[in-house]
């Protein structure tokens, strides 16, 4: 018995491949996950409704609580070991801890939150989650409400 692989035109409903790592990288750079050129955010954390460069619809993302959670996890894994190292090594007085760690924690959280939210939106776009798939029930429902 032989196996024959048929080559030919792709089916009409075939979807183009979306590279996960490219979408994550573009999202982390706060750029459109589709083209990598347009800005992902219209303000600090507000995702633009569409990409100004390629027109990709971005309004249906559902990042919700994932970006703050991931930001707290990353910053905590950076700050806590450093805090413990400084405490054990130098034993500074309490006001030095406050003067050092509170601003550093705040700066890291505010600086990492947009790229991490971009990562989440890029992940959702690459995996065709929450309306990023035109064949999803969410996208069909949205299209029917617009008509």
């Amino acid at each position: 018995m032989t196996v024959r692989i048929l080559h030919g035109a792709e089916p009409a409903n075939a979807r183009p491949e979306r590279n996960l790592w490219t979408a994550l990288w573009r999202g982390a750079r706060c750029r459109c996950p589709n083209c990598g050129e347009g800005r992902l955010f219209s303000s600090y954390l507000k995702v633009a409704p569409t990409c100004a460069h390629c027109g990709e619809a971005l309004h249906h993302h559902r990042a919700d609580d994932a970006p703050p959670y991931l930001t707290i996890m990353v910053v905590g894994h950076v700050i806590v070991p450093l805090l413990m190292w400084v405490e054990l090594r130098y034993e500074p007085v309490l006001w030095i801890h406050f003067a050092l760690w509170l601003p550093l924690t705040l700066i890291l959280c505010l600086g990492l939150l947009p790229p991490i939210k971009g990562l989440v939106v890029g992940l959702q776009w690459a995996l065709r989650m929450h309306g990023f798939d035109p064949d999803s029930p969410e996208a069909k429902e949205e299209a029917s409400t617009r008509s």
Side-chain angles (χ1 to χ4, degrees):
M1 180 167 117
T2 61
V3 176
R4 203 163 74 171
I5 299 174
L6 301 175
H7 295 283
E10 291 185 17
N13 60 356
R15 300 181 300 181
E17 186 68 28
R18 292 181 175 175
N19 186 300
L20 175 64
W21 298 109
T22 302
L24 291 175
W25 173 248
R26 289 172 177 170
R29 290 178 32 234
C30 300
R31 297 291 175 198
C32 171
N34 185 40
C35 67
E37 297 295 325
R39 296 176 57 97
L40 185 60
F41 299 109
S42 59
S43 62
Y44 178 62
L45 287 176
K46 182 166 176 47
V47 176
T50 59
C51 174
H53 188 264
C54 70
E56 178 75 24
L58 302 169
H59 65 276
H60 38 263
H61 76 89
R62 298 288 179 260
D64 298 332
D65 292 336
Y69 174 81
L70 294 171
T71 301
I72 291 169
M73 187 176 72
V74 169
V75 171
H77 279 81
V78 171
I79 294 293
V80 171
L82 289 174
L83 183 141
M84 297 302 294
W85 179 77
V86 168
E87 175 61 31
L88 293 174
R89 172 84 184 207
Y90 301 106
E91 298 180 13
V93 293
L94 193 56
W95 71 268
I96 292 178
H97 278 299
F98 282 119
L100 180 64
W101 303 115
L102 288 178
L104 185 59
T105 302
L106 183 65
I107 290 167
L108 279 174
C109 284
L110 293 176
L112 288 176
L113 195 51
I116 290 177
K117 185 170 183 175
L119 276 169
V120 171
V121 173
L123 175 71
Q124 291 176 354
W125 178 85
L127 298 179
R128 300 176 190 273
M129 298 169 63
H130 306 297
F132 284 115
D133 181 6
D135 297 328
S136 72
E138 294 165 327
K140 289 178 182 176
E141 179 182 320
E142 181 181 318
S144 68
T145 58
R146 287 185 184 175
S147 310

